[in-house]
Amino acid sequence: MRTLNVIMLTLIVIGGLDWLLIGLFQFDPVGLLLGGPGAILARIAYTLIGVSALWQLLPLVGAAHRRDAEEKIKRSNAHRP
């Protein structure tokens, strides 16, 4: 699972840098390397980057839920004698 997370985080970084270059210079290195933004390989890469971003949301949402649960426990323990 750790290897999968490292791969997905790497894809997210690549996607973020790609968007940075698109925003600053209108240059799409992922699209250029994979045959243009509409090419099937580029679309697969963009899809994998998007799925990686969604996958990385799961730990973030889980952490938020854990924090909420911990706060509820602390509040309920504060009222005990």
Side-chain angles (χ1 to χ4, degrees):
M1 192 64 135
R2 178 168 163 70
T3 303
L4 182 62
N5 281 334
V6 169
I7 291 168
M8 292 193 167
L9 284 171
T10 302
L11 287 173
I12 292 170
V13 169
I14 290 169
L17 293 174
D18 188 53
W19 276 104
L20 175 69
L21 292 172
I22 290 170
L24 292 177
F25 306 112
Q26 296 181 356
F27 174 66
D28 181 6
V30 172
L32 180 69
L33 290 172
L34 299 176
I40 189 72
L41 285 177
R43 293 183 63 199
I44 290 170
Y46 297 140
T47 301
L48 289 173
I49 290 168
V51 168
S52 296
L54 291 175
W55 181 262
Q56 292 302 319
L57 281 176
L58 294 175
L60 183 65
V61 170
H65 285 282
R66 282 190 302 277
R67 187 181 70 237
D68 291 344
E70 289 171 358
E71 287 176 7
K72 285 181 184 178
I73 290 170
K74 286 179 185 177
R75 282 194 300 257
S76 67
N77 287 340
H79 297 292
R80 292 185 180 185

